[in-house]
Amino acid sequence: MARVPIFAPKFMIILSLIFSFSTILVNGDQDHEFVRSMDRKLLGLKKEKLSHFKVYWHDILTGPNPSSIQVVPPLNTSITAFGLVRMIDNPLTLGPEMSSRLVGKAQGFYAQASQQDLGLLMAMNLAFIEGKYNGSTITVLGRNEVFSTVREMPVIGGSGLFRFARGYVQARTHMVDLKTGDATVEYNVYVFHY
Ligand SMILES: *[C@@H]1O[C@H](CO)[C@@H](O)[C@H](O)[C@H]1NC(C)=O
Ligand SMILES: *[C@@H]1O[C@H](CO)[C@@H](O)[C@H](O)[C@H]1NC(C)=O
């Protein structure tokens, strides 16, 4: 009992310190802004520009180095292969030949999302390696009805030089090998970015 008065002052100091810290923390929240409007120049954003990129997208299903691999089989009751999912790491080249200059990869997946026809859900990042675009990406998400002459899909965003990107792509089949399923598709990408 005799020791209590000796410890009590220290205890009070600790208690008051804890309380004053918590007071500081609570007040500190008022200094943390949740949102503010800002000048776009602070992010180095000048004038928005429109660019057109043309690349060839190679869906290689067969051979020693396939770039497109089935990860979910289609429902075996489906005549349209509904449910099929393929993961892709498809080369993007400047010309239609695989030997032409590699400028990036289309990485993501496509899934057969239509029970009536061939309507793919495409979800992919065009990851560029060419010149100043090396490391920048464009994200495409959309519907690809592969038997249509021109398929349009939205560009929903991007990174690096494509921050704030918006736009669309148009895909046209250049070549399909009906035996293997390998395909080369011309992609025209129209994108607003800074
Ligand atoms: C579909 O797959 C299930 C399970 O693997 C199997 O039991 C069934 O026989 C298959 N149906 C057809 C039409 O192939
Ligand atoms: C792209 O950038 C990576 C990482 O910075 C680098 O290793 C690579 O050599 C570059 N590729 C080209 C084609 O410039």
Side-chain angles (χ1 to χ4, degrees):
M1 286 299 286
R3 299 173 68 127
V4 171
I6 299 166
F7 277 85
K10 278 189 193 166
F11 185 66
M12 291 305 288
I13 289 167
I14 291 167
L15 262 189
S16 66
L17 275 178
I18 289 170
F19 277 117
S20 59
F21 271 127
S22 59
T23 310
I24 290 166
L25 287 178
V26 168
N27 289 338
D29 272 351
Q30 292 167 358
D31 300 333
H32 292 135
E33 282 175 286
F34 177 50
V35 62
R36 64 184 172 122
S37 66
M38 66 182 285
D39 186 339
R40 68 184 63 195
K41 288 191 189 81
L42 291 174
L43 289 183
L45 305 175
K46 289 172 196 117
K47 201 169 180 295
E48 197 176 35
K49 48 185 174 280
L50 176 63
S51 300
H52 169 208
F53 295 85
K54 182 176 167 183
V55 291
Y56 287 85
W57 178 99
H58 301 267
D59 203 31
I60 307 163
L61 278 55
T62 55
N65 296 308
S67 65
S68 174
I69 291 156
Q70 178 178 298
V71 290
V72 179
L75 299 179
N76 62 1
T77 51
S78 167
I79 51 161
T80 63
F82 182 68
L84 167 112
V85 180
R86 302 186 73 92
M87 211 74 202
I88 59 168
D89 186 16
N90 285 356
L92 298 171
T93 58
L94 271 190
E97 307 81 22
M98 257 312 289
S99 55
S100 89
R101 190 179 175 85
L102 182 74
V103 292
K105 297 281 192 73
Q107 298 176 334
F109 67 86
Y110 60 79
Q112 199 350 32
S114 174
Q115 290 180 293
Q116 269 74 50
D117 50 22
L118 216 50
L120 303 179
L121 162 70
M122 308 287 291
M124 60 184 178
N125 295 312
L126 308 182
F128 294 102
I129 57 165
E130 175 69 13
K132 67 173 179 175
Y133 298 101
N134 186 12
S136 294
T137 64
I138 288 176
T139 302
V140 175
L141 181 77
R143 179 166 193 266
N144 186 357
E145 198 195 352
V146 293
F147 289 133
S148 299
T149 314
V150 185
R151 292 89 70 184
E152 188 168 307
M153 290 165 265
V155 166
I156 60 163
S159 71
L161 292 178
F162 301 111
R163 288 172 181 169
F164 296 105
R166 60 206 165 86
Y168 63 96
V169 301
Q170 285 185 328
R172 290 175 179 80
T173 303
H174 177 77
M175 181 284 295
V176 190
D177 183 329
L178 290 176
K179 244 188 273 158
T180 62
D182 292 358
T184 303
V185 180
E186 179 189 315
Y187 268 78
N188 284 280
V189 183
Y190 301 92
V191 63
F192 276 118
H193 62 108
Y194 285 93

